[in-house]
Structures are given as structure tokens and as C-alpha cells.
Amino acid sequence: MRGDNESTLADLHEESPTGSLWGRRAALALIALMVVAALVGLLGVHTSTASAERSGWKLRVDYPKVARAGLDVRWRVHVQHPGGFGKTLTLAVSSNWWEIFETQGFFPEPDGVQRDGSTTYLDFDDPPGDTFVLDYDAYIQP
């Protein structure tokens, strides 16, 4: 039996917690960096734009350059041509582009869709006006 003055902790040796202390500090610093990156907009979806112009036709495509699974992304095509588009406007897109998306569809819906080995063709019959805009409602597959 121990006396009143003896501690039950007397047999324990104090060890320096230096390694675990620095490990916790490093983990907290990493979490802080991730929070700061998110606050300044470095994480999440980033959209980019590609455009071309030829013989009076103007094309601009807004597409997801950086995205994460499960997030909504913007894919939008703007086509301009003075005097309209004629009977049919056909947009050709690389077929493997669609593999990363889960989709709710196009707006407006294409009047026809054809595919060959590498390209998807979206046909729009008699689009009105000089400007055509196609939106693709999608998110990145998990």
C-alpha cells in the first residue's frame, strides 16, 4: 500500500512529444493551406473558352477546364453568322469528349444526332436569327 505522499505517476518517465507535436503542426498547416486555396478560388470548377472565326462565321465554346466529380459544369456553344444559318446547322464534337459527363440533355434539343467512330454530329433544323446558343446541362461523372 502506498503512502499519502506517493504518486501513482512516479514510475512513469516523461518523453519528449517533439515528433508528434511537429506532426500535428504539419497536418494543421496542410489543412490551413487547403482552406486558403478554397477561399481564393483555386479549387472547384474552372471554365475556359475557345473561339474561332472564319468567312463570317464566329464560334465560341465555353467548357470545363478543371472540375471535380459530381460538380455541375458549363458547356456552351455560341455560333454567329450574318444572315442566319440556312436549313440546317450541324455541330461536330469529338465523341470521347462526352465520356466524362452525366447529362440532363441539350437546350435546345438537337433535331438529329449521328455518330461515326470519332465524332458526334448535332443537327439543328432551321435555327432562327443570326446567333445560335447551345447549352449542355451536365455534371462530371463520379
Side-chain angles (χ1 to χ4, degrees):
M1 189 165 187
R2 294 183 183 257
D4 289 338
N5 293 336
E6 292 185 36
S7 171
T8 58
L9 303 175
D11 296 340
L12 297 177
H13 299 290
E14 269 190 51
E15 299 215 8
S16 174
T18 305
S20 62
L21 178 63
W22 282 108
R24 286 191 300 271
R25 286 179 180 169
L28 285 173
L30 181 62
I31 291 170
L33 283 173
M34 291 174 59
V35 169
V36 169
L39 289 174
V40 298
L42 296 177
L43 305 178
V45 175
H46 296 278
T47 302
S48 192
T49 300
S51 59
E53 187 173 343
R54 180 187 249 174
S55 302
W57 290 84
K58 293 181 183 179
L59 173 72
R60 187 178 87 219
V61 180
D62 301 322
Y63 63 94
K65 184 174 183 180
V66 176
R68 205 176 61 206
L71 294 180
D72 289 333
V73 293
R74 168 182 283 175
W75 191 86
R76 178 177 288 163
V77 176
H78 295 258
V79 182
Q80 291 180 321
H81 184 256
F85 303 104
K87 293 184 179 184
T88 303
L89 174 65
T90 301
L91 300 176
V93 181
S94 174
S95 294
N96 62 5
W97 174 253
W98 309 114
E99 294 174 2
I100 64 171
F101 297 110
E102 290 285 335
T103 183
Q104 305 301 315
F106 292 99
F107 182 78
E109 281 289 324
D111 296 303
V113 177
Q114 295 87 36
R115 291 185 180 169
D116 62 19
S118 62
T119 306
T120 301
Y121 300 94
L122 307 169
D123 297 324
F124 299 90
D125 294 337
D126 196 26
D130 294 346
T131 301
F132 176 79
V133 178
L134 174 65
D135 282 311
Y136 184 61
D137 184 14
Y139 59 94
I140 303 298
Q141 287 187 22

